[in-house]
Amino acid sequence: MNSIRPLVKPLGLALAFAFAASFAGSAYAAPDLKIALIAGKTGVLESYAKETETGFMMGLEYLTNGTMQIGGRKIKVIVKDDQGKPDLGRTLLTEAYADDKADIAVGTTSSGSAIAMLPVAKEYKKVLVVEPAVADEITGAKWNKYIFRTARNSTQDALAAASTLKAGSVGFLAQDYAFGRDAIKAGKEALAATGSKANVVHEEYAPVTTTDFTASAQRLFDALKDKPQPRVLAIVWAGPNPMNKIADMKPERYGIVLAPGGNILPVMKTWKGYAGTEGTIYYYYGFPKNKMNDWLVAEHMKRFRSPPDMFTAGGMAAASAVYTALSKVPSANSEQLVGAMEGMSFDTPKGKMTFRKEDHQALQPMYHFRIKKNQKDEWDLLELVREIPASELPLPVQNKR
């Protein structure tokens, strides 16, 4: 009996150590990093939402080299559809923070829904990265310190457009909800901020679901037709764009030119008959020249047989902001994240963006485009007139922090 005791004891110790090591490994495995992505995947803006999700997931793939990990912790993305409804957006963000225990959230598509979500981030003291909603109030009057926005805001859109218009007369057509009214307010302020001598002679607001623009367009024509040249009808519209329908009414009879804001590729494909028309845009796949955009364009073409769109790039920008922040703060502690993200720069398909410390709005370039006359293929739509650097967009701080 005594002869086997020395064998038993070491074996028992070895098993004990093995068990302890196994237990410790499972007990102390780093928990997943949970990211909630809320988007309006149902409704009028569903195409925007789907692009955002695609760009966000491709962004995480690119940034993590396919591992979908940050600092050894697995990334879990929890996708929720708010259907563009403010009440549902608020409820889903509450669920994400309270039930899903999300470390950080991203969203959403509709400005109305995004505005409804802002107080939830403040209540739970959790970071919300806003993408792609653009209403100024998000980083303005409704802002709180947990809100960061990678999307451009209405004023950035407006300043870019205003930089191309030095004189003449302007009429605006927009949707009658937060996005549209916010955009036109920003447009008027931007003309003043850039020193433009153009006068706004009419503002026309139509219901979001409008399909007949006859009456609205005629009111704009009547307001513009006798005013100083150039006479510009600026269209600010989310979803199916009315440019073609308004163009069919022949505004050129009154010396009026259309100035469409940039839109998604399927919409801009229908503008081929308006070669030479100019506008400004947040992103077009052929404009930025950098490593991240090169990868995004090549991979998107390979996987979907089409180039990435505006909101695909926006989704990737949001992913980069989240990845950069969580790399700086592996614990995902909210207060530390806020501190790390204020003034933080991060790479995007548009190049470098920086969260301004005062209001957490991402400062970024915009693009002045012209619709191409000779389009080589179905996606060869725009030519670059000029990249408008962030330094030329005098973006005011609107949150009264």
Side-chain angles (χ1 to χ4, degrees):
M1 295 288 292
N2 291 339
S3 64
I4 64 171
R5 284 179 182 171
L7 296 174
V8 173
K9 190 172 182 179
L11 182 60
L13 286 172
L15 288 171
F17 280 125
F19 175 78
S22 174
F23 177 78
S26 61
Y28 296 103
D32 292 347
L33 283 167
K34 295 181 180 179
I35 305 168
L37 175 62
I38 301 174
K41 296 174 66 176
T42 306
V44 68
L45 301 180
E46 65 179 87
S47 59
Y48 296 5
K50 290 174 180 176
E51 288 182 7
T52 301
E53 182 180 355
T54 296
F56 189 78
M57 299 307 294
M58 290 183 72
L60 290 177
E61 177 188 347
Y62 172 83
L63 292 158
T64 64
N65 293 315
T67 66
M68 295 302 282
Q69 294 185 14
I70 301 176
R73 297 176 66 181
K74 293 181 180 179
I75 300 169
K76 181 179 181 181
V77 180
I78 304 162
V79 181
K80 298 175 181 286
D81 177 14
D82 69 2
Q83 301 174 33
K85 299 176 181 178
D87 288 348
L88 184 54
R90 182 167 50 243
T91 298
L92 292 178
L93 186 59
T94 299
E95 288 179 358
Y97 290 144
D99 300 335
D100 300 321
K101 306 300 180 185
D103 296 295
I104 194 168
V106 177
T108 184
T109 317
S110 162
S111 288
S113 186
I115 289 169
M117 290 161 56
L118 306 185
V120 178
K122 183 177 182 180
E123 178 184 354
Y124 284 89
K125 299 181 178 180
K126 291 279 190 177
V127 170
L128 171 63
V129 176
V130 176
E131 176 68 44
V134 302
D136 278 338
E137 287 183 302
I138 293 167
T139 43
K142 305 293 186 182
W143 177 88
N144 65 72
K145 77 171 189 175
Y146 299 99
I147 306 306
F148 291 80
R149 176 160 51 187
T150 48
R152 86 284 187 200
N153 66 15
S154 291
T155 295
Q156 284 167 307
D157 273 344
L159 287 167
S163 72
T164 70
L165 185 63
K166 304 303 182 185
S169 308
V170 184
F172 284 109
L173 171 64
Q175 287 154 308
D176 193 7
Y177 81 116
F179 162 69
R181 290 193 172 274
D182 199 63
I184 303 315
K185 177 177 178 291
K188 293 190 293 184
E189 292 172 352
L191 288 169
T194 57
S196 172
K197 296 181 180 180
N199 292 314
V200 177
V201 300
H202 187 72
E203 301 167 40
E204 184 71 22
Y205 299 95
V208 174
T209 56
T210 298
T211 57
D212 183 354
F213 294 91
T214 305
S216 291
Q218 193 59 56
R219 283 191 288 270
L220 281 157
F221 294 169
D222 290 343
L224 283 164
K225 63 184 181 182
D226 296 321
K227 298 300 188 293
Q229 292 273 23
R231 300 169 189 145
V232 178
L233 196 168
I235 303 169
V236 182
W237 204 268
N241 194 284
M243 178 168 152
N244 287 338
K245 292 183 178 181
I246 295 173
D248 288 344
M249 296 177 65
K250 301 189 182 304
E252 64 273 15
R253 291 177 295 156
Y254 306 104
I256 297 170
V257 297
L258 302 181
N263 213 301
I264 57 175
L265 294 171
V267 171
M268 294 194 297
K269 279 175 63 175
T270 69
W271 296 352
K272 291 183 178 181
Y274 310 107
T277 299
E278 296 184 10
T280 51
I281 195 168
Y282 161 80
Y283 170 87
Y284 175 71
Y285 73 94
F287 292 167
K289 304 300 179 185
N290 59 69
K291 184 178 178 181
M292 184 179 285
N293 193 56
D294 289 347
W295 181 90
L296 176 60
V297 172
E299 283 298 313
H300 203 279
M301 289 294 294
K302 185 188 303 181
R303 300 177 193 188
F304 304 104
R305 298 184 180 180
S306 65
D309 217 332
M310 287 176 58
F311 297 99
T312 322
M316 195 170 190
S320 184
V322 169
Y323 172 85
T324 304
L326 291 174
S327 296
K328 291 177 179 290
V329 185
S331 68
N333 175 277
S334 292
E335 302 305 321
Q336 292 177 21
L337 281 173
V338 169
M341 294 173 75
E342 288 191 336
M344 183 183 82
S345 294
F346 50 100
D347 292 324
T348 81
K350 294 178 63 175
K352 194 78 72 177
M353 289 188 188
T354 301
F355 284 130
R356 184 164 58 179
K357 194 170 184 178
E358 291 81 0
D359 60 359
H360 304 174
Q361 173 61 51
L363 304 180
Q364 56 196 280
M366 302 289 279
Y367 305 95
H368 179 185
F369 71 82
R370 182 182 298 115
I371 298 175
K372 278 189 173 184
K373 181 177 182 180
N374 298 313
Q375 300 181 3
K376 298 176 183 177
D377 57 54
E378 64 175 329
W379 304 118
D380 183 31
L381 309 175
L382 308 179
E383 60 185 2
L384 179 64
V385 176
R386 189 174 78 95
E387 178 178 312
I388 307 167
S391 60
E392 291 185 18
L393 302 173
L395 186 66
V397 176
Q398 303 179 60
N399 63 355
K400 300 180 181 178
R401 186 175 185 178

